[in-house]
């Protein structure tokens, strides 16, 4: 039974003309199959005798729907997905350790002795004695 199979499937417009519906022996088996399937109805003409004469709306066997309408215009392709965000960079700040850029340079902490100060301080970019 295919009753209402694509009912309100407004975006569905795929070819079904070669589907084997030989087991559908009564019109109630495929009644309302394409009701409100607006994209399908806009694309295909469904006729039982091959003349292109439209059958009663929504009472189509899939095998009747083989002819693309001459006034059908393909919809535009979907928009591309948004770009992926850049990878997350995680950094750890330790006020007692210079950042990697300073570790690899010649910016070694000074030796602190009085009278210039006996405590070492790093402000994130440079060392000083206090």
């Amino acid at each position: 039974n295919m009753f209402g199979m694509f009912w309100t499937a407004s975006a569905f417009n795929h070819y079904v003309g070669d589907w084997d519906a030989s087991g559908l022996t009564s019109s109630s088996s495929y009644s309302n199959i394409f009701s409100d399937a607006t994209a399908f109805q806009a694309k295909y003409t469904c006729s039982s005798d091959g003349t292109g004469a439209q059958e009663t709306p929504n009472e189509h066997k899939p095998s009747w729907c083989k002819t693309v309408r001459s006034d059908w215009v393909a919809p535009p392709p979907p928009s591309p997905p948004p770009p992926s965000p850049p990878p997350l960079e995680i950094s750890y700040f330790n006020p007692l350790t210079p950042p990697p850029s300073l570790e690899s340079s010649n910016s070694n902490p000074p030796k602190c002795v009085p009278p210039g100060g006996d405590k070492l301080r790093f402000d994130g970019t440079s060392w000083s004695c206090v």
Side-chain angles (χ1 to χ4, degrees), residues 80-88:
S84 298
L88 183 63

Side-chain angles (χ1 to χ4, degrees), residues 11-121:
F12 178 81
N13 70 352
H14 299 278
Y15 181 75
V16 296
D18 291 333
W19 284 11
D20 180 8
S22 59
L24 302 176
T25 56
S26 72
S27 64
S28 64
S29 296
Y30 50 87
S31 179
N32 293 313
I33 187 172
F34 300 115
S35 291
D36 297 322
T38 53
F40 185 86
Q41 291 174 2
K43 183 175 181 179
Y44 291 100
T45 298
C46 302
S47 65
S48 62
D49 61 5
T51 65
Q54 189 76 19
E55 296 290 334
T56 306
N58 308 319
E59 302 292 321
H60 315 305
K61 282 188 177 182
S63 59
W64 295 352
C65 304
K66 294 185 177 192
T67 306
V68 175
R69 298 171 63 103
S70 61
D71 59 349
W72 180 71
V73 177
S79 300
S84 298
L88 183 63
E89 290 186 27
I90 299 175
S91 61
Y92 300 95
F93 177 72
N94 180 344
L96 300 177
T97 306
S101 61
L102 292 178
E103 282 181 349
S104 61
S105 70
N106 292 330
S107 298
N108 294 325
K111 302 243 186 262
C112 296
V113 291
D118 59 353
K119 295 184 177 143
L120 186 61
R121 186 179 85 191

